[in-house]
């Protein structure tokens, strides 16, 4: 009888802990990408804007992984949002809340795009006018903290509107990402 009670306790503990032990190793890069694309679509369309969503690139090259999630423009000047497979793996450490963690990162980058936070960099590179370029770079850097805060706040609202619960994820996720990517500065 004691063995049965002991087995029930072990089973209950495994049942409760298993979502948090789940690793991304079970998924192929194609499966990871499909999950990220669905979350991206959910979060982008939560804004309710007619603006087309920028392309999403799912990066699987672990050797070059250094950006986590990012917003850039391709060689034709078209915006895209990138998301790395390595970042997916870190988000998977949240088990049942993996998709919430992914949504947190995507919501942040989507907000950068929707709020045109890249204007200074674009203007600088398009109109390299000596002193003006330097002035814009300084203005762009002074806005960086405000832009990052805005991307976190508005990105969080987009996640909530899309049905993802990011409460409490940000600080823990950022610590895990900084550790996994070997970043020296704290989040």
């Amino acid at each position: 009888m004691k063995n049965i009670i002991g087995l029930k306790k072990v089973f209950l503990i495994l049942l409760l802990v298993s979502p948090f032990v789940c690793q991304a190793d079970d998924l192929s890069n194609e499966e990871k990408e499909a999950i990220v694309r669905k979350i991206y679509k959910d979060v982008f369309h939560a804004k309710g804007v007619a603006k087309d969503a920028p392309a999403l690139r799912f990066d699987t090259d672990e050797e070059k992984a250094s950006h986590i999630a990012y917003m850039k423009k391709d060689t034709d000047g078209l915006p895209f949002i990138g998301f790395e497979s390595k970042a997916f793996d870190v988000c998977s450490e949240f088990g049942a809340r993996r998709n919430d963690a992914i949504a947190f990162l995507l919501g942040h980058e989507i907000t950068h795009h929707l709020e045109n936070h890249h204007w200074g960099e674009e203007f600088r590179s398009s109109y390299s006018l000596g002193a003006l370029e330097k002035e814009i770079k300084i203005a762009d850097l002074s806005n960086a903290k405000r832009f990052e805060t805005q991307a976190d706040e508005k990105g969080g609202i987009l996640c909530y509107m899309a049905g993802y619960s990011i409460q409490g994820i940000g600080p823990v996720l950022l610590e895990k990402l900084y550790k996994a990517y070997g970043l020296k500065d704290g989040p």
Side-chain angles (χ1 to χ4, degrees), residues 9-21:
K9 286 181 182 178
V10 169
F11 179 73
L12 180 61
I13 290 170
L14 287 174
L15 189 63
L16 293 172
V17 173
S18 65
F20 301 102
V21 178

Side-chain angles (χ1 to χ4, degrees), residues 89-184:
D89 294 342
V90 173
C91 290
S92 291
E93 293 177 22
F94 285 85
R97 295 196 64 202
R98 174 198 67 204
N99 292 0
D100 297 331
I102 293 168
F104 174 82
L105 295 174
L106 290 172
H108 179 95
E109 297 307 324
I110 289 168
T111 300
H112 279 314
H113 170 73
L114 292 173
E115 298 296 325
N116 296 311
H117 287 168
H118 52 283
W119 74 268
E121 182 179 321
E122 285 181 1
F123 190 84
R124 253 191 346 269
S125 62
S126 298
Y127 304 98
S128 298
L129 303 173
L132 180 59
E133 179 184 9
K134 185 178 179 182
E135 301 268 336
I136 292 171
K137 187 173 186 174
I138 291 168
D140 207 20
L141 288 173
S142 70
N143 284 325
K145 186 175 182 177
R146 184 172 57 88
F147 287 166
E148 292 303 315
T149 301
Q150 188 178 50
D152 284 342
E153 291 171 350
K154 288 187 175 188
I157 293 168
L158 287 178
C159 291
Y160 175 76
M161 290 172 28
Y164 296 96
S165 174
I166 63 160
Q167 185 175 5
I169 282 187
V172 178
L173 175 60
L174 292 175
E175 287 293 333
K176 288 178 179 286
L177 287 166
Y178 271 66
K179 184 176 180 183
Y181 278 80
L183 301 173
K184 296 188 184 349

